[in-house]
Amino acid sequence: MKRLPAVEITLPWKVAGGPPVTKRLIFTGPRGGHIWRTSLNEEAWKRALASAGVIPERKPGGSYAGARENAMHALRHFYASVLMPSSQERTR
């Protein structure tokens, strides 16, 4: 945190053109702004999947293979499911 402190970013809230809200972001994009979903998926997530052998490495100058079942969106749903209480916990 000392080497790469949080950055204040102001963006529209909830909808495009919504009221601007300023938040401090710990994770930022390559140019210091907010992270775009597409850049995170292509530049970090798919690179990690390829390194782990889940999808093929990309060819120089090319894109990574599609990974719908392993995409960031699928991870988000998986994590949300893990956080949900089990059916046994809900019936207590």
Side-chain angles (χ1 to χ4, degrees), residues 68-82:
R68 184 169 175 78
E69 66 278 2
N70 299 304
M72 185 62 67
H73 188 77
L75 176 66
R76 186 175 128 207
H77 282 274
F78 171 77
Y79 185 66
S81 298
V82 169

